[in-house]
Each structure stands twice: as C-alpha cells, then as structure tokens.
Amino acid sequence: MTKERKILVYGLSEKEKERLMGEGLNLHQIHNGNAGGTLEELIENKEIPHEGAPLGIVKIMIFCGYETNDELKDLISKIRKEHVFGSIMAVITRTNLKWKFDYMIEHLLEEREENKQIEMERRAKLAENLG
C-alpha cells in the first residue's frame, strides 16, 4: 500500500474536483475506463475497464495514505462543509485494498443504509423516552 496521500474520487462534479484540487489535494478520478480493478490497482493507476452492470450515480471519496486521526477527521469535516455534499467517504484498509471497486460501492451503500436505519431507530427511541 502506498504512503502517498491520494483520494480516489467517483461521481464528483468538475466544480467539486476543482475546489478539492484548489485545497492541494491529490485526486485520482475513477471512471468506467479504470473502475474494473481492485482499490490497490486504482491506487497504482492501473487502467482496468469496468464490465457489467452500471456503477450507479453516487459520489464516493476513498482516502489513501491518510492516518485515521484528528487530521483526517478535520479534513473530512472541511470537505463536507465546504466542497462536496452528499458524498460517501471511506479510508483504504488492509481488508478493502483487495476489493474490486464495484464491490466497494456496494459495501458502502449497504453500510449507509444500515447507518440510516440505526439513526432512525435511535431517534425513535429518544422520542419515546422524551414523550
């Protein structure tokens, strides 16, 4: 796994990418021409075309070479507040490094739905306790 800081981006608008690059961030665009490989292959800039069902319309940002610490939390917070709205964000791990990009999208979307359900249940329980 590379130590170079890079953000794999998919589904972002040109304006969003320009703003991120203006912050000095190193972006690597994921598209149908390179989305067929694993996250590791994407990090290594290998061009493996995506085959199969369309990847869908979703904004994804995957952080590579970043430590999961306060610096990354602050960066993500800034990106969400100032530059990219509604993006799913993730960090490269030893586990997901070998995942194909389309599997990563599927995993992140499932995780987002689970988190929404957990939040709805938490809010319902809170309202029940208050009411």
Side-chain angles (χ1 to χ4, degrees):
M1 189 162 42
T2 183
K3 293 294 178 194
E4 176 189 1
R5 287 182 169 185
K6 178 185 291 194
I7 305 173
L8 305 176
V9 296
Y10 174 78
L12 274 59
S13 71
E14 289 303 315
K15 188 173 183 178
E16 289 168 327
K17 290 184 282 190
E18 286 172 14
R19 286 191 296 218
L20 292 171
M21 289 185 292
E23 291 284 340
L25 299 172
N26 180 14
L27 305 183
H28 181 70
Q29 177 68 35
I30 302 171
H31 48 77
N32 280 334
N34 66 2
T38 64
L39 297 180
E40 183 174 38
E41 290 166 331
L42 283 165
I43 291 166
E44 294 170 354
N45 299 320
K46 293 187 178 172
E47 296 285 324
I48 301 169
H50 171 71
E51 297 175 1
L55 294 173
I57 300 170
V58 64
K59 293 180 186 181
I60 295 184
M61 299 178 69
I62 305 171
F63 295 81
C64 174
Y66 289 84
E67 296 292 324
T68 50
N69 58 22
D70 288 342
E71 179 187 7
L72 180 59
K73 288 178 189 175
D74 291 344
L75 176 60
I76 288 172
S77 179
K78 180 176 181 149
I79 289 170
R80 283 190 168 141
K81 288 178 185 173
E82 300 176 16
H83 302 298
V84 180
F85 306 101
S87 175
I88 298 174
M89 298 186 186
V91 176
I92 293 286
T93 66
R94 294 206 186 292
T95 301
N96 66 23
L97 191 62
K98 299 292 183 188
W99 291 359
K100 289 205 169 249
F101 181 67
D102 57 358
Y103 178 78
M104 182 70 169
I105 288 178
E106 181 182 316
H107 176 77
L108 292 172
L109 290 172
E110 285 174 8
E111 194 173 72
R112 180 168 71 176
E113 289 306 311
E114 288 172 10
N115 288 335
K116 282 181 184 177
Q117 185 63 36
I118 290 167
E119 181 62 17
M120 285 174 37
E121 291 169 6
R122 184 191 70 78
R123 288 180 185 207
K125 188 170 185 169
L126 181 64
E128 181 181 299
N129 290 339
L130 292 174

